[in-house]
Amino acid sequence: MKIIPFAVTAIALAIGATPAVAAENAASESTKAFNQQLRDYLPFDDDTDFENARRGLIATLDESVIKKPDGSPVYDTAQFDFATGDAPDTANPSLWRQSQLNAINGLFEVVEGKIYQIRGFDLAVMTFIRGDNGWIVVDPLTANETAAAGLTLLQEHVEDIPVTGVIITHSHVDHFGGVKGILTQDEVDAGEIPIVAPENFFEESVSENLIAGNTMSRRASYMYGNVIEKGPEGSLGSGLGTTTAAGTVTIAQPTITIDDTPTTEVVDGVEIEFLNTPGAEAPAELMFYVPEFKALMQAEEISHTLHNLYTLRGAKVRSGDLWAKYIHDVINRYGDDVEVSLGSHHWPTWGNENVVEYWEKQRDTYRYLHDEVLRLANHGETMLEIAEQIELPDSLAQEFYNRGYYGSVSHNAKAQYQLYFGWFSGNPSELHELPPAEEGAKFVEYVGGAEQVLEKARQDVDEGNYRWAATALNHLVFAEPENQEAKDLLADALTQMGYQAESGPWRNFYLSAAKELREGVAEVATPDTASPDMVKGLPLDIYLDYLAVRLNHPEAVGKDFDINFEMPDVDEKFTISISNGVMNYTIGDWAEDAAATVTIDRAQLDSINLGETTMADSIDAGDVTVDGDQQTVDEFIGLLDSFEFWFDIVTP
């Protein structure tokens, strides 16, 4: 039994999982015309972002590939070097520009002698602040290997002093997973180096996407382009950054937790004002201001992209209202004094006037989306109608940092509708729709058969009506999943939609789907999906919630039993109860009439979760003992489902 958090799976898929993908289609004339409209609309002659992204460059790696000790690749800083010159016809020119910016990598000076960044070594950015005695590290990337490479580069080219503090801005793995690449286990255990994180950081980090992790992970293989090659006809990155590192993921408990705004702490002699900002970009997040340097660490509440109010891999919807209010608060607190704003992704912004305008327009983008969705909804417009008509005003939309490289106006608008109204439009015809395969069959029947669908769809594809062609062909594919002609034509439509997409995740979804329609689902990697640190840090209640989800509920109907568990090494006990086809649990107490009592150390449970052994083998080896009816224990284990990762997405 393996626990597979989304983020770890996505990371492990990122390198060595990209078989060659042929350019099945050149860009159509419709795609060329679509992309030209964007060239005409946006100020591509403004090179400010390129100047800022290159400003302060000190050095980068001599060897582009960061490796594990065994020589296996973790991350290649040169993997997006193909994105040079003008955008090809197969790429949205705005996304191509963003990919060029994200590909700029190395060690950069942000504030002279005081603040430095490593960019382009991972999906995220790692920041260093010079303290009295060493380096305060902010957001140590996804993996130990990339974080260690960045720290080494800093120590070689700036100052070889130790790490004296760590700040983790939020609970997404690309901002903490490399912590033990900059601190040793002994240093973490000693607890003498402060590790600052937001309230609920540890709990949110280890539980993120666990309960629905298998599906989130599979969808993430589309979102981050892990199953397609990187290139002009493939993935251009995520828009938020390049891609994730496939290294060793770790985590450490914070020694200082931020739960109030503002909270002032002194870390290695540096006074820092922390702002607690949960529930917008991440469930646990903070920003902070360093008065001495007039610098704001904006985390991911402010970025050089329109961020996600809903992420396409699947997650809880985020509030644009809350997001805008956090940025508004920052403007009110620091707008008069700030001189540099830097984040967990992308490049900094310098100069008070530039920073404040940037903050204000990012704030107003989220405010506009949230409030306009609700205005239109209160006129009776539905989710799809709102998403089709909502547009940012030019004053916001023509700023590159508000473009939809990661989020999009369309799916963020849908997210805000969903936040308030859920999935139902109010139209009862949409209340109990048929599932996709049945709906597809009836659609094809009504149209007059597969040949009619193909004929009309081919005409629409030729005319550039890709959205409707994709809708119609999707019905046909779900009605006739063996119809390769239909799948190929649908792939053609999705490919052109990918070439037009300004959002990195949208492009990756379209092109990943096209690949699987043409070639079928390929298991492109066998990742080591469970990080030992993450598994060992999993709270007992979350682990038991996960077991409850894995229970095959129809098979459990008619079963009625309790099993007690004791974990001597951590002095914990709990009872699981099966009845009415569900599993409930009680921590800290036992059932008097339990069918059996299982004694298992938490360390042994972790070993089972990491796939190092099984419950059956542990019982046979005497590492787990059962007092009572072992048959009931075996029956319970037999009721737990295992989830297949490579399930179909674009076919039934």
Side-chain angles (χ1 to χ4, degrees), residues 235-495:
S235 177
L236 301 180
S238 68
L240 187 66
T242 49
T243 188
T244 45
T248 305
V249 177
T250 52
I251 192 170
Q253 285 271 13
T255 63
I256 300 173
T257 298
I258 305 302
D259 54 8
D260 289 321
T261 294
T263 297
T264 299
E265 297 281 350
V266 177
V267 182
D268 190 19
V270 180
E271 181 182 297
I272 302 175
E273 296 176 9
F274 291 97
L275 311 177
N276 191 30
T277 60
E281 192 275 330
E285 189 154 4
L286 60 77
M287 294 188 279
F288 65 82
Y289 186 73
V290 186
E292 179 184 354
F293 311 135
K294 298 183 178 181
L296 180 88
M297 164 49 70
Q298 62 206 27
E300 275 188 65
E301 311 292 16
I302 305 170
S303 301
H304 285 278
T305 179
L306 172 60
H307 214 295
N308 280 318
L309 295 176
Y310 163 78
T311 176
L312 300 183
R313 64 175 169 84
K316 295 177 182 177
V317 170
R318 304 159 183 176
S319 169
D321 174 65
L322 196 56
W323 206 311
K325 286 176 177 174
Y326 287 143
I327 302 176
H328 187 66
D329 181 56
V330 164
I331 294 169
N332 288 337
R333 289 181 187 275
Y334 308 120
D336 290 341
D337 300 316
V338 67
E339 289 297 333
V340 59
S341 187
L342 59 151
S344 299
H345 294 274
H346 305 132
W347 49 94
T349 301
W350 287 270
N352 179 266
E353 184 177 337
N354 297 329
V355 169
V356 173
E357 181 183 26
Y358 171 39
W359 288 357
E360 289 176 342
K361 289 190 174 182
Q362 281 260 293
R363 173 199 63 189
D364 292 348
T365 294
Y366 296 110
R367 171 60 57 209
Y368 190 96
L369 281 168
H370 174 273
D371 292 357
E372 180 65 2
V373 166
L374 286 176
R375 185 187 74 83
L376 293 171
N378 280 310
H379 278 294
E381 302 281 354
T382 65
M383 180 179 73
L384 296 180
E385 291 166 339
I386 292 170
E388 192 65 21
Q389 64 184 286
I390 192 169
E391 293 182 357
L392 295 175
D394 287 347
S395 60
L396 299 177
Q398 288 186 315
E399 297 290 356
F400 283 111
Y401 51 68
N402 285 333
R403 301 303 300 178
Y405 302 123
Y406 196 49
S408 74
V409 170
S410 175
H411 79 249
N412 280 346
K414 293 175 182 177
Q416 297 310 274
Y417 186 96
Q418 181 187 349
L419 179 66
Y420 287 91
F421 304 106
W423 60 268
F424 180 45
S425 70
N427 182 338
S429 297
E430 300 171 3
L431 185 59
H432 196 203
E433 295 172 289
L434 291 171
E438 293 181 41
E439 184 177 70
K442 294 304 292 183
F443 175 88
V444 172
E445 176 189 334
Y446 272 42
V447 169
E451 290 304 317
Q452 289 293 320
V453 176
L454 283 167
E455 180 181 347
K456 295 178 184 297
R458 190 171 288 107
Q459 181 177 346
D460 271 325
V461 169
D462 290 343
E463 294 175 358
N465 299 322
Y466 304 122
R467 290 174 64 189
W468 173 248
T471 298
L473 288 165
N474 184 64
H475 284 309
L476 177 52
V477 168
F478 271 79
E480 299 181 6
E482 302 306 317
N483 190 327
Q484 191 59 48
E485 186 178 0
K487 291 193 286 188
D488 288 344
L489 188 55
L490 176 54
D492 291 346
L494 295 178
T495 296

Side-chain angles (χ1 to χ4, degrees), residues 117-132:
Q117 286 189 319
I118 290 289
R119 301 200 291 271
F121 281 29
D122 206 326
L123 180 66
V125 167
M126 180 165 57
T127 300
F128 303 94
I129 302 172
R130 179 57 160 94
D132 285 351

Side-chain angles (χ1 to χ4, degrees), residues 59-66 77-78 105 121 153 156-157:
T60 192
L61 297 176
D62 294 329
E63 168 57 51
S64 69
V65 179
I66 299 170
T77 62
N105 65 82
F121 281 29
L153 194 66
E156 288 177 349
H157 290 273

Side-chain angles (χ1 to χ4, degrees), residues 1 35 51 57 73 107 150 167 193 240 354 365 404 472 525 593 622 652:
M1 176 175 57
N35 287 337
E51 294 169 3
L57 176 63
L107 169 66
I167 301 172
I193 296 175
L240 187 66
N354 297 329
T365 294
D593 58 349

